[in-house]
Amino acid sequence: MERFAHLVMHHRRIVSGIWLALFIGGMVSVSPLGERWSLDFSLPGQPGDNAEQQLIDTYGVSTYDSYLAVVTVPQGETVEGNRAAVAGVISAGVAAVTDVKLRVVDLASTNDPGFVTDDGRATYALIQAPVPVTAGPQIETQLDPALTEAARAAGFESGLTSYVLMSAGGDQEGSSVLVETLLAGAAALLVLLFVYASFLALLPLLIAGVSILVTFMLVLGLTTFTDVSIIVKFLVALIGLGVAIDYSLILVSRWREERAHGRSNEEAVVVAMKTAGHAVMASGVTVAISLLALLILPVPALRSMGVAGMLIPLVSVAVVLTLLPALLSSVGPRIDYPRIRKEGTASRGWSAWARLIVRHRVIATATALIVLGLLVAPVFSLKIGPGSSLESLAHNGPRFDTLQTLTDGGVGAGVITPIAVLVPARDANAAAQAARGVDGVQLAVVGTTSGDSAVVDVFPSRPTLDSDASTVVTDVRAAVESEVSGQVGITGLGPTIEDYFSAVYDKFPYVLVMIALITYLLLVRTFRSILLPLKAVLLNLVSLAAVFGSIVFFWQLGHGSDVVFDVAPTGAINFWLPVVIFAFLFGLSMDYEVFILTRMREEYDRTGDTGMAVITGIGRTGRLVTSAALILFFSFSAIATSPGTDTKVLGTALGVGILIDATIVRALLVPALVSLFGRWNWWLPGWLARALFVEPSPLHPVRIVPPEALPEPGKVPAGIN
């Protein structure tokens, strides 16, 4: 790292020029990237996805979003008495959708009275369209106005709704990614001004801007080879902002500290790279490794999040370890003005806090474990599903009112999550009859026939929006297969949940073990210890459990979501969210562990005393870690301002995770446990050290420092600095 620092400083103009060119390339990449985001959450090879592909190939439509067009006749009239006119309204709406083929299943096509409400005044039609290829509004922009116009001409009322339309938040609008990033950047700037109290606060923002745009440019290149989920744009912009600023914060602060101790500018850069730069490198690699979990899973959308997610820390590390030292060595001292805050001594407040923990390590450990236990407790109620109960979707506006018309008329709300059953045409009637007899099914009809294939449309009584309600899918499959001699395919929202469980969650424990093992080996080499990495991995898992417990309490059970976001309890957590939250938080939370323990390791190697290492390590990193956590929290809070419930859950989960980790875990439990374990923290036997190509760390004689010998708050013994 020392040689690398000298190389960067010697060629700083070339380094700066290269990053300037990449920055411009990133700016150019943003616009074309907006048209390449994918909405695909398919699971290739799974039964539900195979049935979905059969539906697409045979009928040209998908169950991605099943629209419900509702027509209501005036008071005193019935649908049956206006049957031809009602059918004309639906036909007019469908005819207005140009350039795509639609599949329509309604009263006119089936003659089934189940499509009419109990009072006889309203009817609904199931309308399915091809798979969307771009984000944003789909066929509803043509279908809804045409239905309204045709219904008004006939003297009727109409409405259009669907699960996707309602989960978008009704009439709610969210800010754009650019606005969210700018808001998060402004909040980060306030924190940086507090930390540096000089124009140096602008430097981490510059590094973040370069990192984000270069990452977008790489993602654009990635879209030429594979689909990239639309969720990635939030991850790159907002997580990239927080990660790049955090890494810059650590390196710049160490550079300032070394300059405050009398080193020349270039010497300060070299020392900062050897110490903080090494920690940044280890942290970035740890975050990237944690995202391997998404690459291993057989879900293209999650894999794209994993690849793009790995680019975020790796690009940030590259920029921080090249462009940042180049700038510090050239303009650093000039922009470090006015130097109101000094870095020559450790923080008095954090040193006093660490001294208190060292004195009362058992109490501190017990307190942290009790708080974590309370946060973890709700996790045992976790339900996996599409992530939004019916109540947590839009509860006002035309989409909600349209569904309310049906439910008020005795039609079960499960109509919003229909199940498509593909069977041989010869067995279609038998399959529909078998599905009608399943408990939890309100309607099953032969919807469409094409050649030797038929689609039986099954409407559950309740929405299949969690792992409990989706059991009706299993019952329907069993009932139909018992009556059909040929192949049976089932697709829809409920079958997708089943597919995710078999494709993702059945294998995820093995993935988790693999990621934990790789991370452990990396940290053994970083900390030169057997015990510290084990503690770090275990505490990360406990911290993650506390995060999941918190989002179950807040979102699934609804203790706060209605007050803060005006969203009712979701009833379940979306099936893709837990693995994404794990992959990002496992690495991001480890950042602070790496920064704190690396500094503690440095101080222990210098003094040979664990108590001094804890006090100095926390005194030197406490303010930085807290500031870095606040910056990441602001970035994740910006994600939570998006209109979709799922992105709100993701943003709050990541934000709460960072706060839990930076406060309860890293500021309380970590120093308490390090103080408890004493010299065993630092032990690395020679045989393992040789295998990992690092220096061994033998057990030193216990050095007991009585409490009265510990330094006063804010004071550090000579030699520590």
Side-chain angles (χ1 to χ4, degrees):
M1 190 65 75
E2 181 177 353
R3 290 194 298 271
F4 183 72
H6 283 295
L7 179 67
V8 168
M9 289 188 291
H10 184 68
H11 300 286
R12 52 179 168 250
R13 291 185 178 179
I14 296 176
V15 170
S16 301
I18 292 173
W19 284 114
L20 176 60
L22 292 174
F23 176 78
I24 295 173
M27 294 180 65
V28 174
S29 301
V30 172
S31 179
L33 187 57
E35 301 176 357
R36 298 196 181 184
W37 300 118
S38 170
L39 303 175
D40 182 22
F41 266 80
S42 62
L43 296 96
Q46 295 298 314
D49 187 68
N50 292 339
E52 184 76 9
Q53 290 304 314
Q54 183 183 348
L55 182 69
I56 294 171
D57 295 340
T58 306
Y59 302 95
V61 299
S62 166
T63 62
Y64 168 79
D65 196 14
S66 297
Y67 296 88
L68 297 176
V70 179
V71 178
T72 306
V73 301
Q75 189 75 33
E77 299 184 29
T78 64
V79 169
E80 190 63 34
N82 295 274
R83 190 160 179 170
V86 169
V89 170
I90 295 174
S91 297
V94 171
V97 180
T98 58
D99 301 327
V100 296
K101 178 182 179 181
L102 302 180
R103 188 174 80 91
V104 182
V105 183
D106 61 356
L107 177 64
S109 65
T110 65
N111 290 317
D112 195 304
F115 283 96
V116 181
T117 56
D118 292 345
D119 59 7
R121 288 188 56 219
T123 184
Y124 63 93
L126 170 67
I127 301 175
Q128 292 177 335
V131 180
V133 293
T134 60
Q138 303 297 327
I139 67 167
E140 66 270 14
T141 58
Q142 297 174 293
L143 180 59
D144 201 8
L147 282 171
T148 302
E149 183 178 348
R152 185 182 297 114
F156 305 150
E157 294 180 358
S158 71
L160 187 71
T161 190
S162 73
Y163 174 78
V164 171
L165 292 177
M166 291 186 66
S167 63
D171 294 332
Q172 299 176 10
E173 294 183 359
S175 55
S176 68
V177 175
L178 176 61
V179 173
E180 293 170 2
T181 306
L182 291 176
L183 290 174
L189 179 59
L190 294 177
V191 177
L192 292 170
L193 286 172
F194 169 77
V195 173
Y196 294 131
S198 78
F199 288 105
L200 200 61
L202 298 173
L203 194 54
L205 287 176
L206 172 63
I207 297 299
V210 174
S211 300
I212 291 170
L213 289 175
V214 172
T215 304
F216 272 129
M217 183 178 66
L218 295 176
V219 170
L220 178 63
L222 191 64
T223 60
T224 62
F225 303 101
T226 184
D227 292 336
V228 177
S229 172
I230 191 172
I231 303 297
V232 166
K233 70 178 181 180
F234 295 98
L235 302 180
V236 171
L238 296 166
I239 295 182
L241 176 73
V243 168
I245 291 178
D246 279 7
Y247 290 168
S248 302
L249 182 67
I250 299 299
L251 187 68
V252 173
S253 296
R254 188 58 185 261
W255 169 79
R256 283 189 104 197
E257 178 185 336
E258 296 304 323
R259 278 179 52 80
H261 292 158
R263 297 186 188 274
S264 68
N265 186 36
E266 290 201 356
E267 288 176 339
V269 171
V270 171
V271 174
M273 288 284 282
K274 288 171 59 178
T275 54
H278 180 75
V280 166
M281 173 70 79
S283 175
V285 174
T286 302
V287 176
I289 287 175
S290 70
L291 290 161
L292 283 173
L294 298 182
L295 295 181
I296 296 171
L297 298 174
V299 184
L302 295 182
R303 285 178 175 172
S304 71
M305 292 184 205
V307 174
M310 291 178 70
L311 290 176
I312 293 171
L314 295 180
V315 171
S316 295
V317 167
V319 179
V320 168
L321 296 185
T322 54
L323 180 59
L324 185 54
L327 294 175
L328 288 175
S329 65
S330 56
V331 300
R334 281 177 293 194
I335 62 175
D336 190 12
Y337 175 85
R339 298 182 63 184
I340 299 173
R341 188 182 295 280
K342 307 299 181 182
E343 299 288 348
T345 59
S347 166
R348 289 177 59 88
W350 282 104
S351 296
W353 173 255
R355 187 168 180 266
L356 181 67
I357 291 176
V358 171
R359 285 177 177 271
H360 305 288
R361 63 199 79 174
V362 176
I363 296 176
T365 301
T367 301
L369 291 177
I370 290 172
V371 174
L372 287 174
L374 293 174
L375 292 174
V376 169
V379 80
F380 299 103
S381 301
L382 175 65
K383 288 184 179 180
I384 306 296
S388 297
S389 67
L390 193 60
E391 292 77 13
S392 68
L393 302 179
H395 49 272
N396 55 49
R399 312 306 181 195
F400 171 81
D401 295 339
T402 299
L403 182 61
Q404 195 69 35
T405 298
L406 294 179
T407 55
D408 289 346
V411 177
V415 71
I416 204 171
T417 57
I419 303 169
V421 183
L422 284 79
V423 296
R426 65 179 183 274
D427 297 322
N429 290 324
Q433 184 64 35
R436 289 189 199 104
V438 173
D439 186 31
V441 171
Q442 61 179 322
L443 178 63
V445 297
V446 179
T448 312
T449 301
S450 177
D452 296 332
S453 175
V455 180
V456 175
D457 293 290
V458 179
F459 299 91
S461 301
R462 294 195 303 130
T464 53
L465 296 179
D466 60 49
S467 48
D468 290 341
S470 66
T471 54
V472 70
V473 176
T474 304
D475 296 337
V476 168
R477 178 182 288 109
V480 172
E481 287 179 345
S482 66
E483 298 294 330
V484 174
S485 57
Q487 185 177 5
V488 176
I490 299 184
T491 185
L493 199 54
T496 299
I497 298 175
E498 286 193 339
D499 284 353
Y500 263 85
F501 270 99
S502 60
V504 176
Y505 293 103
D506 289 351
K507 301 177 180 64
F508 195 67
Y510 303 104
V511 176
L512 190 151
V513 170
M514 185 198 72
I515 298 300
L517 180 60
I518 295 175
T519 303
Y520 173 76
L521 292 176
L522 173 68
L523 294 181
V524 167
R525 195 177 190 283
T526 301
F527 299 146
R528 292 172 43 236
S529 165
I530 289 179
L531 184 60
L532 286 179
L534 179 62
K535 176 185 64 62
V537 171
L538 292 178
L539 286 186
N540 244 29
L541 295 177
V542 172
S543 178
L544 280 166
V547 172
F548 284 116
S550 300
I551 63 173
V552 167
F553 184 81
F554 185 88
W555 284 107
Q556 180 180 310
L557 303 179
H559 300 296
S561 62
D562 191 33
V563 175
V564 178
F565 294 102
D566 194 27
V567 176
T570 60
I573 304 301
N574 198 305
F575 38 69
W576 61 268
L577 280 172
V579 290
V580 173
I581 292 170
F582 165 83
F584 278 95
L585 271 186
F586 187 84
L588 291 174
S589 298
M590 195 69 77
D591 277 359
Y592 305 134
E593 184 94 3
V594 172
F595 296 148
I596 294 172
L597 292 182
T598 298
R599 192 59 189 260
M600 287 185 184
R601 174 86 241 192
E602 183 182 339
E603 299 304 328
Y604 180 79
D605 288 342
R606 184 179 299 176
T607 66
D609 182 82
T610 299
M612 295 296 104
V614 171
I615 293 171
T616 306
I618 295 296
R620 279 295 181 185
T621 63
R623 187 175 73 238
L624 296 180
V625 166
T626 303
S627 301
L630 279 176
I631 291 170
L632 270 180
F633 176 76
F634 290 139
S635 297
F636 298 150
S637 297
I639 296 178
T641 64
S642 301
T645 301
D646 291 340
T647 50
K648 293 182 188 296
V649 176
L650 177 62
T652 52
L654 295 178
V656 169
I658 290 299
L659 290 185
I660 290 175
D661 194 77
T663 54
I664 302 170
V665 178
R666 309 307 173 197
L668 182 60
L669 189 54
V670 166
L673 289 176
V674 171
S675 182
L676 273 174
F677 294 150
R679 59 177 180 160
W680 292 100
N681 289 291
W682 322 106
W683 177 52
L684 181 67
W687 63 270
L688 183 55
R690 288 189 295 272
L692 297 174
F693 302 100
V694 294
E695 294 182 10
S697 181
L699 284 173
H700 293 295
V702 179
R703 183 177 170 190
I704 300 175
V705 179
E708 59 271 13
L710 294 175
E712 293 299 320
K715 296 182 180 180
V716 182
I720 291 295
N721 292 323

